[in-house]
Amino acid sequence: MSNSLPIDELYQAMLGRLPDPDARRNCIVFLKNGGTLEALAHEIEQSDEYREWRTISAKIEANRATLKQNENPVSQVPEIYHDELIRFFTFRGRYRPLALTVETINICNNDCIICPYSLQRRSKQTMSIELFAKTIRDYVEIGGGNLGLTPMTGEIFLDKFLQARLDLIRSEPSITSVSAISNASTVHRFSDDKLSELLDGFDRISISVYGLDAEEYEVMTRKAQYERMVNGIVRILALGGTDKVSLAIRHLKVRSPEEVETWLRHVAVLSGVERIQCSWTRHYANWATFDTSKPLPFDAEWMPTRENAKQCAMPMVSTQVLSDGAVSFCACMDFDADSSLMLGNIRDKTLAELLSGEKVRTLWNWAAKGVPEFCKTCTAHRPIESLLRMPSVFTAPLAAFGS
C-alpha cells in the first residue's frame, strides 16, 4: 500500500496527530509486508503516548460538554479554553496569541527551492522604524511577551534598521524574549564588534543550514555561497554561544547521523564551542502553493499532501505583522498576504482591535464556519492537540514551533 491516507487517519484518530515521516514510511512497509491496519492499531495501543492521549482526550471532551462561549474567540476551542491554559491566551480578558512575529524585511539573498520567495507578488521592502514602533506599542498594549523577527520570506541580517529595532525592543520590559531565524550568509558585512552587538539583542537565533556540502547548498539556494554560509555560522556561534545559537539543517541528500555529527564537530572546532544544538530534516512543507507531484532534487521529499479539517494550532502560537503592516491571523505560510487569513493593516487599527474582530472569531471556528481555503492542504498544519503535548510551548512558543 503506497497511499498513506489510512495511516494518517489512524494516527489522527488514535493519537490526535499525524505520523512523522519516518513513522509513516515504517507503517507503509508494515502494510506492504502483509500487516493490517488492525494490527497497526494494536501496536499503537501498547504505547505510552496512546495512554497519555486517551487521558487528554477525555479532558477535552468533558470540557466541550460544559463550554460556554463568550466574546473571547477561543471560547469556542475546548482544547485550551479552561482554567489551566486560558491565562496564556488572554490579557485583561481579551484574546491574544502566545507570541507576535514581525517581518521587518521580505528581501532575501537566497532563492531556495523549498521557499516561495521568488513566487511572492508582494513588494520587496523594509518596514519603516515608525511602523515597527507602532507595532511594538500595540503588542505591549496586549501584554507583550515573546517576539519573533523572522521574515516570512527574507533574511533578518539584511535589515538595515535592525540595530535600531533591537534598541527599541530593549526599552520595552514587557517584551520577554526576542528570536529570529537567519541563513548566516550575509553577516560577512559586519565587523565582529558590530555582529556581537546585534546578537546581544536576541535571546535565540536559529540558523538554517542549507546543505552540508557546496553542491547541496547551491542546488538548494541557487547561490554558490556555501563557504560564506559556513563562515557566517562559525562567527555567529563564536560570538553568540551555543546557549543562544542553534542550527536547523535542511538536507536534500540522505545523511547518516555519523555524517552530520562529523560536520557538526568540524564547525564546533572552527567556532571554539563544545557542543552545537541541532535539528535536521529533508522533508518540506508545500506552503499551500508548491506542486508536490514534482520531485525535489536528490533525496529530499515533500511532506505528504493532506486535507486538513481539525482546527490548527499555528495561529495560537503567533500572529504575524508583515513588512507593509498587513496582519495575518497565522505566522505560518501565507507568504503573499492574499488569503482569508488577513485581518487588516496595523496602520489603520490597533493590534487589539484586529485580534478582537468578528473575522478572528470566524477563523477560530473551523467546525462551524469551514476550513479557510488556504489552510485546507497546508502541510505545516498542526492540530491544537500538538500544544498539549508540548508544555514548553506556553512559555517559549517560538522555540517550540520555530521562530
Side-chain angles (χ1 to χ4, degrees):
M1 176 182 294
S2 59
N3 188 346
S4 62
L5 184 58
I7 297 168
D8 289 355
E9 291 175 345
L10 183 65
Y11 264 71
Q12 288 276 32
M14 297 189 69
L15 297 176
R17 67 172 178 88
L18 290 167
D20 60 49
D22 288 338
R24 181 183 284 107
R25 187 177 297 106
N26 291 339
C27 289
I28 290 172
V29 171
F30 176 81
L31 296 178
K32 281 183 175 180
N33 289 338
T36 64
L37 284 173
E38 290 76 14
L40 190 57
H42 179 73
E43 292 295 321
I44 292 174
E45 286 176 349
Q46 310 310 307
S47 68
D48 291 340
E49 183 184 355
Y50 175 74
R51 287 187 285 273
E52 179 186 5
W53 180 239
R54 286 287 298 272
T55 301
I56 293 173
S57 296
K59 289 181 179 179
I60 292 172
E61 291 310 310
N63 192 42
R64 192 186 306 277
T66 59
L67 196 65
K68 293 183 179 179
Q69 295 185 20
N70 55 43
E71 68 279 0
N72 190 320
V74 291
S75 66
Q76 306 169 106
V77 186
E79 290 86 349
I80 65 158
Y81 198 76
H82 51 78
D83 292 342
E84 185 179 346
L85 295 181
I86 191 55
R87 62 191 175 91
F88 293 106
F89 300 97
T90 56
F91 181 72
R92 296 177 179 170
R94 301 179 74 176
Y95 164 70
R96 54 152 296 149
L98 292 170
L100 181 70
T101 301
V102 183
E103 177 195 67
T104 66
I105 186 169
N106 67 332
I107 302 167
C108 192
N109 59 304
N110 287 335
D111 187 15
C112 294
I113 61 174
I114 59 168
C115 173
Y117 178 69
S118 61
L119 301 178
Q120 67 175 336
R121 296 184 299 273
R122 290 189 292 141
S123 297
K124 294 181 174 64
Q125 61 189 304
T126 302
M127 180 183 282
S128 71
I129 286 291
E130 294 75 19
L131 182 57
F132 182 77
K134 199 267 186 185
T135 299
I136 297 301
R137 287 197 303 271
D138 281 10
Y139 188 42
V140 169
E141 287 174 3
I142 63 168
N146 301 282
L147 180 68
L149 297 182
T150 301
M152 178 77 77
T153 55
E155 166 52 36
I156 184 65
F157 284 111
L158 289 178
D159 179 1
K160 60 186 176 181
F161 301 127
L162 181 56
Q163 186 63 65
R165 300 188 205 281
L166 294 171
D167 292 343
L168 191 156
I169 292 166
R170 193 177 288 117
S171 70
E172 294 288 355
S174 67
I175 305 297
T176 55
S177 74
V178 185
S179 59
I181 297 174
S182 169
N183 65 39
S185 61
T186 65
V187 297
H188 64 284
R189 301 178 305 114
F190 304 116
S191 68
D192 281 356
D193 286 346
K194 185 58 187 176
L195 182 56
S196 182
E197 184 182 9
L198 289 170
L199 293 173
D200 283 345
F202 291 93
D203 298 281
R204 190 176 69 88
I205 292 281
S206 176
I207 301 175
S208 293
V209 182
Y210 294 119
L212 302 190
D213 61 45
E215 178 189 40
E216 191 175 24
Y217 184 86
E218 186 167 353
V219 172
M220 175 72 90
T221 65
R222 295 186 269 225
K223 298 292 174 67
Q225 296 178 344
Y226 173 74
E227 293 300 331
R228 180 180 288 180
M229 176 199 69
V230 173
N231 291 338
I233 292 170
V234 167
R235 291 184 66 213
I236 293 172
L237 279 167
L239 296 171
T242 54
D243 288 340
K244 175 179 295 188
V245 182
S246 62
L247 307 186
I249 300 174
R250 312 305 186 199
H251 293 300
L252 292 177
K253 301 176 181 179
V254 169
R255 303 280 187 179
S256 69
E258 292 76 19
E259 284 182 277
V260 175
E261 188 58 35
T262 298
W263 188 89
L264 287 172
R265 281 199 301 269
H266 174 67
V267 171
V269 169
L270 293 175
S271 307
V273 299
E274 290 294 323
R275 186 76 181 171
I276 300 172
Q277 302 178 64
C278 183
S279 62
W280 61 84
T281 188
R282 59 181 178 84
H283 297 89
Y284 300 103
N286 64 5
W287 289 81
T289 193
F290 285 121
D291 180 359
T292 57
S293 68
K294 296 179 179 178
L296 287 165
F298 300 118
D299 310 301
E301 298 178 8
W302 296 111
M303 294 177 184
T305 302
R306 57 186 186 237
E307 294 185 11
N308 301 315
K310 301 184 77 173
Q311 193 82 42
C312 183
M314 298 309 290
M316 207 161 272
V317 175
S318 181
T319 293
Q320 181 153 36
V321 182
L322 298 174
S323 54
D324 66 348
V327 178
S328 175
F329 178 61
C330 179
C332 194
M333 295 285 172
D334 189 7
F335 63 93
D336 241 348
D338 63 354
S339 78
S340 61
L341 301 180
M342 302 311 299
L343 305 180
N345 198 294
I346 205 165
R347 297 176 187 274
D348 307 319
K349 293 184 178 181
T350 66
L351 189 57
E353 290 171 331
L354 291 166
L355 290 173
S356 61
E358 185 59 31
K359 190 166 190 178
V360 169
R361 189 172 189 84
T362 296
L363 288 168
W364 272 126
N365 195 348
W366 286 12
K369 305 296 185 179
V371 181
E373 194 65 33
F374 187 86
C375 303
K376 287 180 179 178
T377 59
C378 177
T379 50
H381 172 273
R382 300 286 291 271
I384 289 177
E385 292 91 331
S386 301
L387 296 178
L388 309 182
R389 291 190 171 88
M390 303 171 66
S392 64
V393 75
F394 298 105
T395 53
L398 299 178
F401 275 82
S403 191

